[in-house]
Structure formats: structure tokens, C-alpha cells
Amino acid sequence: EAGADVVETNSFGSSPVVLVEYAIADRAHALSKRSAELARRVADDFTARDRSRPRFVAGSVGPTTKLVSLGHISFDDQRRGFVEQIRGLVEGGVDLIQIETSQDLLQTKCAVIAAREAFRLAGREVPIIAQVTIETTGAMLVGTELGAALPALEALDVDVVGMNCALGPDLMQEHVRFLGQAATRWVSVLPNAGLPRNVGGVATYDLSPEDLARFGKSFVVDFGVSMVGGCCGTTPEHIRALAEAVRGLTPRPRPAREAEKAQVTSLYSAVTLTQDPAPLIVGERTNANGSKKFRELLLNESWEAMVEMAKDQVHEGAHVLDVCTAYVGRDEVRDMTEVLRRFSTQVALPICVDTTQLDVLEACLKLLGGRALINSINLEDGEGKADRICELARTYGAALVALTIDEQGMAKSAARKVEVARRIHEIAVGRWGLPPEALLFDPLTFTIGSGDEESRRAGIETLDAIAGIKAALPGVRTLLGLSNISFGLKPYPRQILNSVYLNEAIARGLDAAILNAAKIIPVHKLSEEDLRLTRDLIFDRREAGDPLFAFMGHFESATQVAAAAQGDELALPIEERLKKRIVDGKKLGIDKHLDEALTKYKPLEIINTILLDGMKTVGELFGSGQMQLPFVLQSAETMKAA
């Protein structure tokens, strides 16, 4: 009656939102279907009265009280409940599914995936709205920034993205501005009627209908919002004023998708795949195949120590973490689950899931609320497995690392590498509809440090392939597992060769590299002689003799370049070390620092001055929005341990 175009329905009587938590699927389905049928009848009645203004029904899928990221419920259990609820709504005749008041990004992803399964079961597909709730902290309840939520939702290919609940329109303005600038889908905004006040035990909302209408009109005209409405505290009078204010307005045009702005995200924050300066650094130390220390921690099941290794890579400058727990004789699904359950909530970086097993891959994707990177897809086993990986990437909204390997093995020449890349591109983009910017092609390389004549040009062919793939397949990115180029050499020569080769690859257009950031030396710190000999090896220049022998001879006796020890704990005074431990939430090994502090201070002095000073900094960071709640809890756990 107030003029709404869409009415939101969930249930009558006992809520399906409650029922799905307890997996009473038949009741959830029946109640959802019945509520949709009743709302459908009302909407159709209004449409019959005025056919120039059809009215629609949105099936509301609320957040439940269980957050899958925090382990309250498994992904599969929550998905099954959502499927029954959404199937009932769709069969009851809703026009769209509105996933709303989402407090956990992984929960939102679960609901979107469930909606698509429900559509299949119901034999009917409708649009999907995905709305998150941003708290007064500036993030979702579990700590997700809106800038991290948006790329993850758009990668799921929902039709409308937006926000609702928690805040009034005044406190939503900057978030709505961001959506107006960054979202490539339609945007919906449903604010509360202001922040509630507790008046005699009753939530009271103070925002007037006129103020809601004024903000709603501004959102449409200034920020390009496509759908406006009201959430908690809004009345028919609010909706009437809002409908009158926006009727006939044309939203400002939405931005087109820009490939260079493509991102991957963690549960907390986003990372742009195109870094300036390049490359995007994918940390390699959390890989049991490449890191002896990580492998030993895995075998000892030292899960917390593995988390500390991941945090170290954050401090070393990694943008994404490559995670692999594959080890012969161990249960890889269990190991990856143990690791990623911790990494997903305790580490702020996006995850690159590194596995060759499909069951492991899907188990991992069910743990990651952000937009993950999958390492990898190739054609070694033909197109069947590649199709399944693309299907998983499409379902869970992931990006892909693609290796230039086909049924004949690893492509060695630049031409063959580009040829294989074209085939994978056709499968991923042409067949499965993945956006080109979601593909990172790794043209692979062999070592040039073995002396084998066949491998002398391996570095050159890979450099040419990087440029060739970028030219042949617009919009895609390139990535390189850097350490392969120097396999077989001693540690310091490897460090030099990796550093110079990375510089050459970036000059050819390399976008990303899997590497240990702490082991890369800026080329300006190398001498002209160092650079000349290394480049002679890379480009197989033999005018002055064998470049490999010259390179090895020079660096056998060369003085190592000491990389700047950024954040070296032991260089700090004990007071700063302990404070930093609290702020960083690193409790593993804190006992040795406490022992040192006890030689100077009494226990209560350590607690009341040094440690509490660290917690004060944590409080300030949280209050200013620079630290999310899960990291505050990690700091508190470290304080407790100390």
C-alpha cells in the first residue's frame, strides 16, 4: 500500500532460518513455500489492480545465528539447510532470492551456492541479491572489509550486491559511495531507520521518513544505487516517502568491469592482482614440497607454528600465500583442513590453494570466504579434469593459475607454451565463462644451472612465452614459479639468479611470482659485474666462454649481499619485542622473551607496563578500524599466554 515494488518474505510461524540450523529440512521447505505462496497472492492482487506497476516478491534468506567461518556449523550442513529453504521459496513463486543481513562472507558464499542448487532442483532460476551487513566498526561481524566482500560476491556472479541493516543511511554513506565507485553489478541499499536506542527495553529508531527519503534519493542520484528500501525500524510511512522520492529517477551509470582492477581476497581484505610495482608476490614458504621447515612442522602437526610461518610471510611482503600440504602417506584433506581453518581466520592474506587432488581442492574452497586462487589447472590428464577445476572455480568464485602442460608434457618452446595457454583459455573462458582476468598463466621454466645443453635456452623460452601469452590472450595475467630457474645451484648463487631473472621477467610483462620475498635482492644492490654475468647465463651468451662456469666461479667467492633485516625481532629492545608480540598476536616462542624480561623486571611490572601497553595499542588500532576483531582476539590470546 505504501508503494513498494518488492515485498520481502521469509516465513510465517516458526522461521525456516531457525529450522535450517537444526536441519529440519522438510519443515523449512514447507514453511518457506507456504510463505512465498501467500506473498505471491498479495503481490499478484496489487499487480491486477494496476498492471503498469507489477509488484514482486523477494525470498529472504537470512544469516542464521551460526557463522561457518568461526566453525559454528560446517559448510555442507549450512548449505543443505539453505537449499531446502530456498527451494521452498522458489517453488512458492518468489521473483528473486535476497540473501541479506550477512555477517560472514563464507556464509554468504554458502547461500549463493545453495541457491543455484535449489534452482536446479526446483527447475526454475531467479535473480540473486547478496547483501552484507557492515557494523559500526566499518566491517562485517567477522572483520571483513566491504572492499574484500565486493570482489568475492561479484566473482560468484550474483545479480545485485548491496548492504542492509546495522546502520542508518547517514553512517552508510561512505560504504555506499564505495559501492557506487567499485561495483559492476546493480547495487541495493536497505538501511535501518537510524541506530536503535533502548527505551524501556524496546529498540527505538529515530530517523524520520523524510530523512530516509532524502538519503535514498541521494544514493540513487549521486552514487548510482539501483534499489533502495528499508530494514529495521522502517515503517509503511518510511517506504511511502522513499517510493515518492525516487519514483522516476535514473540511477547514475554503473562502472564497467576493468581487468586491471581484478582482485583476490581473504576473509578480511582484498589484493589487486596487478601490483604497482610488479610483481604480485605469492609466498612459497607455506608449501610442504618447497619448504623443509614447513614440511617438518606438518609432520609434527605443529599447526600454530605453521600459522606463525604464514604471518612471517605477511611481514616479508607477500601478497598471497601458496599453501600445500601434500605428503605421501598422509591425509591431505585433513591436513589442508587443519591448516586452512586456521589460516583463513588468523592470516590476513588471500590463499592460493596448491593441490593436484580434486577432493582436496573442493574441501579447501569450502573453508575460504574470500576469493581464492587455485594452483593449478593444466591439460596433462586431458580436458576432463580441467573442466572439473573450472567448474569449481566458477562455483566458488576463484581465480586460476594455469600451467602450460598438456598431454605431451611440459611445453618447452615459447610457441608451444602459447599454444597450450590458448587451449586452456578456450576451456576456462569460452566453455565455462570465467573472466580472462581470473587466469594467471605460468609458462614454467626448467633450471639453467644444470649444464645440460638442452636446458640452456629454457630461461629465454619462458621470457618469450610471458610476452607471447600476454599478446595472444588480452586480459590474462602471467605468473612464474621463480625458484625453478636456479634449481641445483648453491643457495647464494640461486638468490642472485632468481633476483635478476625476476627483473627480466617483469620487463617482459610478468604479473606475479611464487617466491620467498625475503630472498630477493633488488638488482640495484648488485654490481655491474654481477648483473653482466647473470644475464650472460640467462640469455646463454657464449662469446667469452661458458656463461654457467663464469657465473658459478664468480659467485663461489663473492661476498653475499645482506638483505635488509626488516622487522628483525632480536634487533629490538626487549620492551619493544614483547609489545610487538602482543600487537602481532604471536604467542609461539614468547616464553624466551619473557625469560629475558624477567632479568630486568618483576612479573607484575612486565604485565602492567610492557604487555598492557601492547594491548592499549591493539585497542587503538581496533577503535580506528585498522585491526579486525579476530586479530584482536589473537592479541588477547597472546596476552593470556604471556
Side-chain angles (χ1 to χ4, degrees):
E1 290 286 2
D5 297 300
V6 182
V7 63
E8 183 182 324
T9 185
N10 186 341
S11 70
F12 66 99
S14 185
S15 168
V17 171
V18 175
L19 295 176
V20 295
E21 293 179 3
Y22 297 98
I24 308 174
D26 54 342
R27 291 183 62 195
H29 172 266
L31 288 171
S32 295
K33 183 175 181 179
R34 182 62 176 149
S35 69
E37 290 170 342
L38 292 173
R40 174 83 273 156
R41 188 183 307 166
V42 175
D44 288 346
D45 180 55
F46 273 90
T47 300
R49 296 186 212 171
D50 182 2
R51 295 197 175 275
S52 67
R53 282 194 58 202
R55 308 301 174 92
F56 301 93
V57 179
S60 170
V61 181
T64 84
T65 61
K66 300 187 187 301
L67 305 182
V68 64
S69 284
L70 300 186
H72 298 158
I73 189 171
S74 75
F75 185 96
D76 286 335
D77 283 346
Q78 188 156 79
R79 178 186 54 79
R80 278 191 288 269
F82 278 145
V83 167
E84 291 306 312
Q85 181 188 7
I86 296 169
R87 182 165 68 95
L89 291 168
V90 173
E91 290 177 353
V94 299
D95 299 293
L96 61 150
I97 291 297
Q98 180 174 315
I99 299 163
E100 45 95 358
T101 323
S102 296
Q103 300 157 350
D104 173 7
L105 194 53
L106 185 54
Q107 178 189 74
T108 315
K109 179 182 288 188
C110 182
V112 172
I113 292 169
R116 298 229 161 85
E117 185 176 344
F119 296 163
R120 180 180 59 79
L121 293 172
R124 179 170 173 258
E125 185 173 344
V126 298
I128 298 174
I129 298 177
Q131 291 176 164
V132 299
T133 293
I134 303 297
E135 306 289 336
T136 53
T137 59
M140 296 171 68
L141 186 63
V142 297
T144 308
E145 299 171 357
L146 189 55
L150 179 62
L153 294 177
E154 292 202 336
L156 293 172
D157 211 19
V158 297
D159 300 281
V160 184
V161 294
M163 53 189 299
N164 76 296
C165 207
L167 305 176
D170 52 342
L171 297 180
M172 280 187 177
Q173 280 190 96
E174 288 308 308
H175 302 307
V176 178
R177 185 192 305 275
F178 169 77
L179 290 175
Q181 293 170 343
T184 63
R185 311 302 168 102
W186 282 13
V187 174
S188 63
V189 181
L190 282 69
N192 289 348
L195 288 176
R197 292 185 299 111
N198 189 331
V199 179
V202 177
T204 303
Y205 297 85
D206 296 327
L207 190 77
S208 70
E210 293 73 25
D211 284 338
L212 180 66
R214 177 169 55 83
F215 279 110
K217 182 175 181 180
S218 171
F219 291 166
V220 173
V221 174
D222 298 332
F223 305 140
V225 170
S226 313
M227 303 176 71
V228 290
C231 200
C232 301
T234 57
T235 65
E237 288 72 30
H238 285 87
I239 299 303
R240 182 175 291 107
L242 184 61
E244 291 172 356
V246 302
R247 188 74 63 204
L249 293 181
T250 300
R252 199 194 69 191
R254 306 275 351 104
R257 187 176 69 209
E258 299 180 54
E260 64 272 16
K261 293 184 179 179
Q263 297 174 309
V264 288
T265 81
S266 67
L267 185 62
Y268 305 114
S269 56
V271 171
T272 303
L273 290 172
T274 299
Q275 290 291 310
D276 186 16
L280 175 85
I281 297 173
V282 181
E284 67 178 358
R285 292 178 59 208
T286 44
N287 186 321
N289 289 321
S291 168
K292 179 182 178 183
K293 180 179 178 181
F294 191 74
R295 182 167 60 251
E296 289 173 347
L297 293 175
L298 172 68
L299 295 177
N300 292 324
E301 299 193 355
S302 301
W303 310 118
E304 295 305 320
M306 296 165 85
V307 171
E308 296 299 326
M309 278 195 73
K311 289 182 176 180
D312 286 343
Q313 290 192 89
V314 176
H315 297 305
E316 290 165 3
H319 301 113
V320 177
L321 292 183
D322 185 78
V323 182
C324 175
T325 63
Y327 191 85
V328 175
R330 289 187 63 88
D331 183 342
E332 190 181 352
V333 170
R334 173 183 175 271
D335 286 343
M336 283 292 264
T337 298
E338 290 285 353
V339 170
L340 289 185
R341 223 173 17 87
R342 293 169 170 83
F343 281 18
S344 64
T345 56
Q346 297 183 46
V347 183
L349 295 186
I351 299 296
C352 177
V353 179
D354 193 338
T355 181
T356 60
Q357 303 300 311
L358 292 175
D359 59 337
V360 177
L361 176 57
E362 186 159 19
C364 292
L365 293 174
K366 291 175 181 178
L367 296 170
L368 301 174
R371 188 187 194 195
L373 190 58
I374 294 172
N375 187 7
S376 57
I377 180 176
N378 63 68
L379 300 175
E380 183 177 17
D381 299 317
E383 296 187 3
K385 186 175 180 180
D387 278 326
R388 179 62 181 140
I389 293 171
C390 286
E391 182 181 12
L392 289 172
R394 180 71 186 264
T395 299
Y396 292 90
L400 281 174
V401 174
L403 309 183
T404 52
I405 305 174
D406 65 4
E407 297 87 345
Q408 300 174 42
M410 289 176 60
K412 295 184 178 181
S413 70
R416 280 270 297 126
K417 293 175 192 287
V418 174
E419 176 188 340
V420 176
R422 285 183 187 275
R423 279 187 65 195
I424 295 175
H425 182 275
E426 175 55 33
I427 293 168
V429 178
R431 189 180 301 172
W432 286 98
L434 293 171
E437 59 268 25
L439 292 175
L440 291 87
F441 281 97
D442 183 349
L444 302 170
T445 189
F446 300 91
T447 180
I448 56 173
S450 66
D452 181 7
E453 190 65 29
E454 186 182 356
S455 66
R456 292 290 186 128
R457 284 186 52 84
I460 302 171
E461 297 295 342
T462 298
L463 292 176
D464 289 347
I466 290 169
I469 289 169
K470 295 291 286 284
L473 303 171
V476 306
R477 290 174 171 78
T478 51
L479 172 143
L480 194 62
L482 185 65
S483 59
N484 288 344
I485 192 71
S486 60
F487 186 77
L489 296 175
K490 291 183 178 180
Y492 183 58
R494 288 197 75 177
Q495 190 176 359
I496 297 293
L497 179 53
N498 289 348
S499 301
V500 177
Y501 193 77
L502 175 64
N503 192 65
E504 296 297 325
I506 290 170
R508 296 294 188 97
L510 184 73
D511 299 289
I514 301 176
L515 52 81
N516 181 351
K519 297 293 186 181
I520 297 299
I521 303 168
V523 292
H524 71 266
K525 292 189 175 183
L526 301 177
S527 70
E528 287 298 320
E529 182 73 357
D530 292 343
L531 288 171
R532 181 184 65 79
L533 289 169
T534 308
R535 285 171 176 153
D536 284 349
L537 173 60
I538 291 169
F539 294 103
D540 194 29
R541 297 168 182 157
R542 306 196 190 189
E543 293 83 355
D546 191 311
L548 177 59
F549 292 158
F551 174 85
M552 293 173 66
H554 175 74
F555 287 107
E556 282 289 335
S557 57
T559 302
Q560 294 195 14
V561 177
Q566 299 179 357
D568 184 1
E569 224 176 21
L570 298 178
L572 296 172
I574 183 59
E575 297 83 0
E576 291 300 313
R577 257 183 277 159
L578 284 173
K579 180 178 175 180
K580 189 173 187 299
R581 281 273 180 155
I582 295 295
V583 174
D584 292 343
K586 296 178 68 173
K587 63 182 177 182
L588 198 69
I590 198 172
D591 51 337
K592 64 181 181 182
H593 302 290
L594 290 168
D595 288 342
E596 182 180 339
L598 284 167
T599 65
K600 296 177 62 177
Y601 301 99
K602 294 179 179 179
L604 283 178
E605 290 176 326
I606 297 172
I607 294 169
N608 292 332
T609 56
I610 302 171
L611 299 181
L612 281 179
D613 192 32
M615 285 306 297
K616 180 183 176 184
T617 300
V618 170
E620 291 168 350
L621 291 171
F622 178 66
S624 64
Q626 298 177 61
M627 180 181 280
Q628 292 94 357
L629 181 60
F631 297 103
V632 174
L633 297 178
Q634 289 176 40
S635 294
E637 283 294 318
T638 305
M639 180 74 181
K640 181 180 177 182

